[in-house]
Amino acid sequence: MRIVIAGGHGQIALRLERLLAARGDEVAGIIRAAEQGDDLRAAGAEPVLLDLESASVEEAAACLRGADAAVFAAGAGPGSGTSRKDTVDRGAAVLFADAAVSAGVRRFVVVSSMGADPAHQGDDVFDVYLRAKGEADAYVTRQDALDWTILRPGALTNDAGTGLVRLEAHTGRGPVPRDDVAAVLAELVDTPATAGLTLELISGSAPVSVAVKSVAGN
C-alpha cells in the first residue's frame, strides 16, 4: 500500500511510519519544515513538503494521488493558541479530507481526541481544541466519498507500548502509549471493514490485532 500521513513529523506519525515501512508499505509524510525530512527518512518515509494551513485543496490532492490510504495525524500541538486549533486541528483536517476526495483516495483515518465534540462548551485552549477536533470529525463523517475511521485515543503517554489495548465505541477515559496508538492505526489502515466507525482507545487487555478485528466485525 501507499499511505500518505498528514502531520508526518508528529510523535504518533513517526511511530506509524516506522511500522508501515517495516511491513513493506510505501509511506509519505507531509511536513511543514524541510529540516524535519531527515527524521522521516530515518523512519522509512518519504518527506513531502507542504503547509496544510496555507495549501489549496489542489496542492494537497497532488500529494495524495496514487495513494491507497490517507491518515490525518496533524495537530497544532501543546503551546499553540486558540487560532491554530482552528486552522490546524479543524481547518487542515477539512482540507485534507477534501483533498482525499479530489484525489480519489477512499480510505481515510483520522487521529482525533477523546472528548472531541463540535458542541463542546468553553473558551479555554483545550475547550477550543476539543471543539475544533469535533468539528473536523463531523465534517469527515459527512463525506460519502470517504471510507473513514475516526480514532480517539485517551491520555497519550511516552511509555513503551504493551500491544494490549481496549478499542471500542466508548471505552471511558484512560491512558494509552503513543506506541500502541500507532500500532492500532497501522491495523486500521489495513482494515477497511472499520470504515464508518468512531472508536475510543485506551490501554487494555486485548492484543492490537484482536481488538481491531473485533470492532471490524461489529
Side-chain angles (χ1 to χ4, degrees):
M1 294 177 72
R2 176 171 171 82
I3 300 153
V4 179
I5 302 171
H9 195 256
Q11 294 188 68
I12 290 171
L14 286 168
R15 288 167 166 84
L16 176 59
E17 287 154 7
R18 289 187 199 99
L19 292 175
L20 295 174
R23 76 182 189 192
D25 288 325
E26 182 182 338
V27 192
I30 296 176
I31 54 175
R32 293 194 313 146
E35 57 268 23
Q36 297 171 337
D38 286 345
D39 290 337
L40 270 74
R41 292 184 193 96
E46 166 201 346
V48 176
L49 195 60
L50 186 72
D51 186 347
L52 291 172
E53 283 184 270
S54 58
S56 67
V57 171
E58 292 75 19
E59 288 169 330
C63 300
L64 282 161
R65 286 198 179 90
D68 300 293
V71 178
F72 185 81
S80 58
T82 56
S83 63
R84 294 201 68 227
K85 304 304 182 193
D86 183 66
T87 57
V88 179
D89 294 291
R90 184 199 61 78
V94 167
L95 176 95
F96 200 57
D98 287 344
V101 172
S102 177
V105 180
R106 291 202 62 93
R107 188 73 180 114
F108 195 85
V109 179
V110 177
V111 184
S112 184
S113 175
M114 196 172 290
D117 181 352
H120 184 86
Q121 299 297 306
D123 298 315
D124 289 342
V125 172
F126 194 65
D127 296 321
V128 174
Y129 167 75
L130 290 176
R131 196 157 52 243
K133 293 297 278 186
E135 289 169 353
D137 293 354
Y139 184 85
V140 169
T141 64
R142 293 194 297 267
Q143 306 310 305
D144 293 337
L146 296 178
D147 296 329
W148 54 266
T149 304
I150 310 289
L151 182 66
R152 293 177 169 171
L156 298 170
T157 75
N158 286 325
D159 296 340
T162 66
L164 300 172
V165 299
R166 183 177 174 192
L167 180 70
E168 298 168 16
H170 301 287
T171 61
R173 295 192 175 275
V176 61
R178 288 178 172 87
D179 287 349
D180 290 335
V181 177
V184 169
L185 287 168
E187 288 281 340
L188 289 175
V189 164
D190 211 22
T191 312
T194 59
L197 299 180
T198 299
L199 301 166
E200 293 183 351
L201 173 68
I202 57 174
S203 292
S205 57
V208 166
S209 61
V210 173
V212 172
K213 285 185 176 70
S214 177
V215 294
N218 289 339

